Amino acid sequence: MSMLALGGAFTILLIGTFTLAYAQPAELDIATQEKIIQELKPRIEALKSDPKQLARTIEEGRNRTVLCRTCHGKDGAAVKELVPNLAGQNPVYIVDQFQRFGDGRRYDYLMSGLAKSFSDEDKIKVALYYSNLEPKASGGGDPALLSEGEQLFTAICSECHGTDGHGEKGYARLAGQRIDYVMKMLTEFRDRTGRRSNPWMTAVAIRLSEPQMRAVATYIANLK
């Protein structure tokens, strides 16, 4: 069997695996979330190890992002307020968020509908496409907040998101993310609005004051 055929077979296996993994109630506990992330990560890494299949998958992912570019930009750098940058994002995290939008654990009028219209194969392709774009720091904010932001980030964010903000164990890459978007997400986690559900992040966000949120968001925006 050719490498290309093997790559295609692997993609089908990957799709089937995470489809079954997500066929559960929305109220997933922390242990289940951890298990899903750990199952997805090695399979996506295996797909990435086949250069020909990866190149084809990325190109197909690029073709599937026509609507995405309206908000997330042609290069994965958001062009609208309160929208995340996707360039360089962890592909496991992107697939995970697609699933959350689709099953209701996360809500956004546009993304929830889009997630339901994407096939599982589309989600993988789009995730790998964005993960291979070069990320750029959003920057900005008050430089006076950087020191406090760094301390907060190190204390409460780095365990999962990495000391460099590049993400660990399938969690989100935060480095370079927009200040307005980070503020929005922390506020939603803190206020438990129902738009996002994550007990870890809620536990973190409720400990932060508004000025502390802005400090850590400013630090994150300037990480590379």
Side-chain angles (χ1 to χ4, degrees), residues 10-55:
F10 175 80
T11 301
I12 293 171
L13 175 62
L14 170 60
I15 292 168
T17 299
F18 87 71
T19 300
L20 288 172
Y22 277 100
Q24 305 175 45
E27 296 80 13
L28 293 176
D29 60 26
I30 292 175
T32 302
Q33 288 179 306
E34 182 79 16
K35 182 174 182 291
I36 290 170
I37 289 172
Q38 292 308 313
E39 286 176 350
L40 282 172
K41 186 175 180 180
R43 286 167 172 77
I44 286 182
E45 290 301 317
L47 178 59
K48 291 168 66 176
S49 70
D50 180 347
K52 289 184 179 180
Q53 176 68 8
L54 177 61

Side-chain angles (χ1 to χ4, degrees), residues 81-102:
E81 293 183 352
L82 305 177
V83 172
N85 297 330
L86 295 182
Q89 185 57 268
N90 188 323
V92 175
Y93 177 76
I94 293 177
V95 172
D96 181 43
Q97 296 310 299
F98 264 129
Q99 295 303 114
R100 290 169 184 269
F101 279 122

Side-chain angles (χ1 to χ4, degrees), residues 148 152 183 190 205-215:
E148 179 186 5
L152 288 166
M183 291 289 293
R190 181 196 65 192
I206 60 177
R207 296 162 54 190
L208 298 175
S209 66
E210 202 82 13
Q212 287 176 322
M213 286 186 183
R214 186 160 296 279

Side-chain angles (χ1 to χ4, degrees), residues 27-214:
E27 296 80 13
L28 293 176
D29 60 26
I30 292 175
T32 302
Q33 288 179 306
E34 182 79 16
K35 182 174 182 291
I36 290 170
I37 289 172
Q38 292 308 313
E39 286 176 350
L40 282 172
K41 186 175 180 180
R43 286 167 172 77
I44 286 182
E45 290 301 317
L47 178 59
K48 291 168 66 176
S49 70
D50 180 347
K52 289 184 179 180
Q53 176 68 8
L54 177 61
R56 188 176 73 175
T57 300
I58 289 172
E59 178 61 20
E60 291 173 350
R62 186 186 71 80
N63 294 335
R64 197 67 178 85
T65 61
V66 175
L67 292 176
C68 308
R69 299 169 201 166
T70 303
C71 296
H72 298 288
K74 293 182 179 180
D75 58 357
V79 293
K80 289 191 176 182
E81 293 183 352
L82 305 177
V83 172
N85 297 330
L86 295 182
Q89 185 57 268
N90 188 323
V92 175
Y93 177 76
I94 293 177
V95 172
D96 181 43
Q97 296 310 299
F98 264 129
Q99 295 303 114
R100 290 169 184 269
F101 279 122
D103 67 22
R105 284 176 291 150
R106 185 173 177 183
Y107 176 77
D108 176 86
Y109 178 75
L110 292 175
M111 285 302 304
S112 295
L114 190 63
K116 292 173 183 177
S117 74
F118 274 23
S119 69
D120 292 337
E121 186 176 1
D122 288 333
K123 295 169 187 176
I124 295 171
K125 291 175 179 178
V126 168
L128 288 172
Y129 167 68
Y130 278 121
S131 72
N132 279 273
L133 292 177
E134 186 67 28
K136 299 175 183 177
S138 296
D142 183 355
L145 298 177
L146 291 175
S147 178
E148 179 186 5
E150 181 177 12
Q151 293 175 24
L152 288 166
F153 182 89
T154 301
I156 63 177
C157 306
S158 61
E159 182 177 355
C160 292
H161 298 287
T163 56
D164 56 4
H166 290 185
E168 300 289 344
K169 303 177 183 178
Y171 296 106
R173 176 193 172 98
L174 297 182
Q177 196 55 264
R178 295 170 58 103
I179 292 174
D180 61 343
Y181 179 72
V182 175
M183 291 289 293
K184 173 189 175 185
M185 291 300 99
L186 287 173
T187 301
E188 288 186 359
F189 284 126
R190 181 196 65 192
D191 296 345
R192 284 162 279 194
T193 62
R195 296 178 68 87
R196 297 198 72 166
S197 176
N198 185 306
W200 293 317
M201 286 304 304
T202 294
V204 168
I206 60 177
R207 296 162 54 190
L208 298 175
S209 66
E210 202 82 13
Q212 287 176 322
M213 286 186 183
R214 186 160 296 279

